[in-house]
Amino acid sequence: MSSKEKIKELPDLEGKSAQEILHWANATFGKRVALASSFGLEDVVLIDIFLKINPKARIFTLDTGRLPQETYEVWERIEKRYAIRIKPYFPQAKDVERMVNTYGPNLFYESVELRKLCCRIRKVLPLNRALKGLSAWICGLRREQAVTRQQIKKIEVDVANKGIIKINPLADWTEKQVWGYIKENDLPYNSLHDRGYPSIGCTPCTRPIKPGEDIRAGRWWWESPESKECGLHCRL
Ligand code: SF4
């Protein structure tokens, strides 16, 4: 089936709550759906909702090898709280060795192209492996996060990832709603959020933001807002 045909067949989930959408995803796809987590605020909300629906839900993360220690700490806290394992996908060692040997360890500051090469090797290619065999994946994207995310739908055909279904249950949530759910349910979250980091990625590519700055301003801060995606969430 072509991507256009698939889009026509998608159910309309826009008016549904995150709980309703995850119930639907679990019933529809079973083991062929997985939640991608980078342990951001939205991810801890989705993990909680999804595991309440299915305690054996599949969750994976992409470990780029450049993550802050605080991310590993919240990863571990989540595993302990729910008595689960979150499956890690790492970049291929030979790809990283070749890249660093050619361009050096901090190539991402040199140009957008080299930054995207690093993201491709450390994130996109591992994501391709993580999505193999799945029919759908679930992400914590929200429309108000970035100019690149304003058009996302709660359910989409992910053309960049071989036409797999992509589900964004929190697409219409505000940051206030996310924090409200976290506090109400006493969820673990990355301690960097309390130190001025609203959005957290790899250590060398993330910094705290100043009051009034855009919430993604601390990600790849040396680039223009239009190029600030790592390739995991491209919309063609
Ligand atoms: Fe590399 Fe930075 Fe992308 Fe991480 S966020 S994969 S360190 S360029």
Side-chain angles (χ1 to χ4, degrees):
M1 193 188 290
S2 73
S3 294
K4 275 189 184 159
E5 286 166 336
K6 263 192 184 176
I7 289 169
K8 277 189 203 154
E9 299 220 331
L10 293 179
D12 180 7
L13 300 181
E14 280 310 312
K16 304 284 183 199
S17 69
Q19 282 83 353
E20 287 171 324
I21 292 171
L22 290 174
H23 262 291
W24 173 84
N26 188 55
T28 305
F29 300 111
K31 288 183 179 166
R32 290 175 296 108
V33 62
L35 168 58
S37 170
S38 59
F39 306 104
L41 295 169
E42 294 77 11
D43 300 329
V44 301
V45 169
L46 286 175
I47 288 171
D48 187 72
I49 299 174
F50 204 24
L51 288 175
K52 280 174 179 162
I53 293 166
N54 176 5
K56 293 190 173 165
R58 290 175 69 168
I59 304 170
F60 70 85
T61 192
L62 307 175
D63 186 338
T64 63
R66 303 290 301 247
L67 300 177
Q69 176 60 13
E70 290 83 352
T71 298
Y72 295 102
E73 285 165 8
V74 69
W75 174 351
E76 190 176 37
R77 290 213 309 279
I78 288 170
E79 287 195 333
K80 283 191 177 146
R81 174 176 170 130
Y82 299 100
I84 56 164
R85 272 271 176 251
I86 292 172
K87 188 168 170 52
Y89 286 86
F90 290 89
Q92 299 287 340
K94 65 174 179 6
D95 294 342
V96 177
E97 284 171 8
R98 193 181 308 127
M99 176 179 72
V100 173
N101 197 34
T102 308
Y103 300 108
N106 295 317
L107 70 163
F108 23 79
Y109 299 133
E110 301 290 329
S111 67
V112 173
E113 287 68 35
L114 287 182
R115 196 274 291 167
K116 287 188 173 172
L117 174 70
C118 185
C119 283
R120 178 169 169 74
I121 286 174
R122 293 183 188 273
K123 294 182 176 182
V124 177
L125 296 180
L127 176 70
N128 292 347
R129 288 195 289 120
L131 297 184
K132 240 183 210 155
L134 295 180
S135 301
W137 65 307
I138 299 161
C139 308
L141 302 188
R142 291 187 300 108
R143 291 178 191 132
E144 68 165 31
Q145 279 170 330
V147 288
T148 50
R149 299 187 176 178
Q150 284 166 0
Q151 306 300 325
I152 59 168
K153 297 194 167 50
K154 291 193 180 178
I155 183 164
E156 317 182 298
V157 173
D158 189 350
V159 185
N161 283 302
K162 297 187 178 164
I164 189 174
I165 303 293
K166 185 172 179 182
I167 303 165
N168 306 306
L170 304 183
D172 58 352
W173 280 39
T174 61
E175 190 185 355
K176 196 172 165 198
Q177 276 177 288
V178 174
W179 273 115
Y181 187 95
I182 288 172
K183 297 288 180 195
E184 203 174 303
N185 293 278
D186 194 23
L187 301 185
Y189 63 86
N190 196 318
S191 58
L192 288 175
H193 290 302
D194 293 333
R195 286 153 45 196
Y197 292 78
S199 173
I200 301 162
C202 295
T203 304
C205 300
T206 309
R207 71 173 185 186
I209 64 166
K210 298 184 191 94
E213 270 190 314
D214 184 89
I215 58 171
R216 299 251 314 161
R219 302 289 297 277
W220 309 294
W221 64 90
W222 62 94
E223 293 182 5
S224 68
E226 294 72 26
S227 64
K228 286 189 185 203
E229 286 292 355
C230 52
L232 299 182
H233 303 297
C234 290
R235 302 182 87 245
L236 302 179

